Amino acid sequence: MNVKRKSSSDIAYEAVRTKIIELEYAPEKQLVEEELSAQLNVSRTPLRQALYRLELEGLIIKQANGRMHVAPITLVEAEEVYKVREVIEGLLAREATLNMTDEKLHQLEDVLVLMKLAAEQGRIEHTIMYGSEFHSKLYALSSNQTAKRLMEQLDGQIERYRRISGYKNPEYSPILPVHEHEEIMKFIRKRNADMVEKEMRKHIMRNLTVAKETLLLSLEN
């Protein structure tokens, strides 16, 4: 079996993207090509290709003078991202439920078990990771390619706000999203697409509330 090797540009893209999403590169941090090239051990051309992809995703901002910095996290963007996310994810969850198979159902249940275990052990990073995996596995069942492409474009911003809420909010309860996913799962088992969409949209908007609370706390501090 031939495994396609990742290009230097792909490696650089994934490395920088992960650091931005995981908040290792803080919002508005200046990014210097020379430093990134040395840290990632890649030449400038593939690095620039990677940075351009991240700019298109809205994770990096390039100024008129050529300087680059990590995109800020704002209340306005949070509102925009989550309101779009609510509609698209509700749609994808509905369609996925209509296309659900027993095999896929078991896969979702397995991920949910891991998510709950991580939450009970206070492993917030893994709770968020398994939550994201639950959404990805569910949406893969939708046949709406346009909606899935839009979700891919928003993915980096969504993941960054997920982590802002989980990592920066002292009141964050990792078990709460588990209970919300269990509620969604209850209606997936019943193949009740209407209720799955309703519960998914409720889950997304509750996440927006937490993200906004977190951002307001950071502004106060």
Side-chain angles (χ1 to χ4, degrees):
M1 177 178 170
N2 293 325
V3 179
K4 184 180 178 181
R5 292 183 60 186
K6 291 182 180 178
S7 67
S8 297
S9 177
D10 288 338
I11 293 170
Y13 164 79
E14 290 175 6
V16 177
R17 185 178 188 274
T18 297
K19 289 182 182 295
I20 291 173
I21 288 173
E22 292 294 336
L23 309 177
E24 292 179 44
Y25 289 168
E28 302 193 70
K29 170 183 170 62
Q30 186 173 343
L31 300 175
V32 181
E33 280 190 14
E34 293 87 344
E35 294 175 0
L36 290 174
S37 180
Q39 290 168 7
L40 302 173
N41 194 30
V42 295
S43 60
R44 300 284 282 278
T45 298
L47 176 62
R48 285 173 180 164
Q49 292 170 345
L51 295 175
Y52 178 67
R53 288 172 65 184
L54 292 166
E55 184 183 357
L56 292 178
E57 289 182 23
L59 294 176
I60 285 177
I61 292 176
K62 188 172 184 178
Q63 298 169 302
N65 61 10
R67 292 182 180 177
M68 293 172 293
H69 63 265
V70 177
I73 284 179
T74 68
L75 285 169
V76 171
E77 184 183 66
E79 287 269 7
E80 292 176 352
V81 168
Y82 276 91
K83 285 179 178 178
V84 173
R85 183 185 169 198
E86 177 199 5
V87 175
I88 298 176
E89 292 205 42
L91 172 65
L92 288 171
R94 159 183 279 280
E95 294 190 350
T97 302
L98 295 174
N99 295 335
M100 187 59 59
T101 64
D102 288 343
E103 179 185 356
K104 294 299 181 181
L105 184 66
H106 296 324
Q107 290 178 12
L108 288 172
E109 288 173 332
D110 290 345
V111 175
L112 192 50
V113 168
L114 294 172
M115 184 184 181
K116 186 173 184 178
L117 181 62
E120 290 173 343
Q121 295 177 349
R123 294 184 288 121
I124 292 176
E125 180 180 347
H126 289 93
T127 306
I128 293 171
M129 180 187 73
Y130 289 126
S132 297
E133 185 177 346
F134 181 95
H135 287 245
S136 296
K137 285 186 178 295
L138 179 61
Y139 302 154
L141 285 168
S142 170
S143 56
N144 192 320
Q145 298 304 316
T146 299
K148 289 198 276 191
R149 280 197 300 272
L150 290 170
M151 279 301 297
E152 286 176 7
Q153 292 171 17
L154 282 173
D155 184 65
Q157 291 161 300
I158 289 170
E159 291 299 329
R160 202 157 63 129
Y161 281 101
R162 273 189 178 133
R163 283 154 180 77
I164 278 285
S165 299
Y167 297 172
K168 304 294 185 181
N169 192 325
E171 301 299 321
Y172 180 80
S173 169
I175 201 65
L176 180 55
V178 174
H179 292 329
E180 291 174 346
H181 283 79
E182 287 176 335
E183 192 68 11
I184 292 167
M185 195 70 200
K186 179 177 76 177
F187 291 110
I188 290 175
R189 292 189 188 100
K190 295 177 180 179
R191 307 300 199 270
N192 188 331
D194 288 342
M195 287 303 298
V196 170
E197 179 177 7
K198 179 180 177 181
E199 291 300 322
M200 181 60 75
R201 292 181 71 145
K202 188 196 302 184
H203 166 62
I204 301 301
M205 295 316 288
R206 201 274 308 169
N207 284 340
L208 171 59
T209 300
V210 176
K212 288 167 66 176
E213 288 174 353
T214 309
L215 290 172
L216 288 170
L217 280 172
S218 67
L219 289 174
E220 291 172 2
N221 298 329

